[in-house]
Amino acid sequence: MNDRRHETLTYLTGFMLALALTLAAFTAVHWPVASAGTTLALILGLGLVQVVVQFRCFLHISLARSSRDDLLLVLFSTLIVTLMVSGTLVILFNLRGRMM
């Protein structure tokens, strides 16, 4: 029963952190108090923290020895998605440059 309580507490903590980070991002956009570049950097930072919270609290991926395979799978998937998105952006900006 103690293990189930710990898991429920982890999910609840993750939910609260994710909600707080999302509200902070919406607040930064809705009531801007800094320049556009600073707001963008803040949102990107909040997004990275959100990813860490999602991995840790909901996917249960940590740096422990038993979770290394899961972490490597996530990192490899991130690498593939990053390569696909960056390749697409290179092609789109190249086409945009040719059209102008």
Side-chain angles (χ1 to χ4, degrees):
M1 192 63 160
N2 192 18
D3 195 33
R4 186 178 179 130
R5 180 183 166 126
H6 181 266
E7 187 174 348
T8 304
L9 186 62
T10 302
Y11 282 130
L12 187 61
T13 303
F15 176 72
M16 290 299 165
L17 284 172
L19 185 64
L21 290 167
T22 302
L23 288 175
F26 276 108
T27 302
V29 172
H30 189 49
W31 292 295
V33 293
S35 67
T38 306
T39 303
L40 180 62
L42 177 68
I43 290 172
L44 289 176
L46 288 171
L48 287 175
V49 173
Q50 178 91 292
V51 167
V52 170
V53 167
Q54 296 286 333
F55 281 167
R56 179 65 191 106
C57 294
F58 298 117
L59 297 177
H60 304 291
I61 294 176
S62 65
L63 296 177
R65 205 38 122 175
S66 61
S67 299
R68 289 261 166 96
D69 292 337
D70 294 337
L71 182 61
L72 288 175
L73 179 65
V74 168
L75 290 176
F76 180 71
S77 300
T78 303
L79 175 69
I80 296 298
V81 169
T82 302
L83 287 173
M84 289 174 54
V85 168
S86 61
T88 302
L89 289 175
V90 166
I91 290 170
L92 288 175
F93 282 120
N94 188 0
L95 286 174
R96 180 176 177 251
R98 289 178 184 219
M99 293 294 287
M100 294 295 169

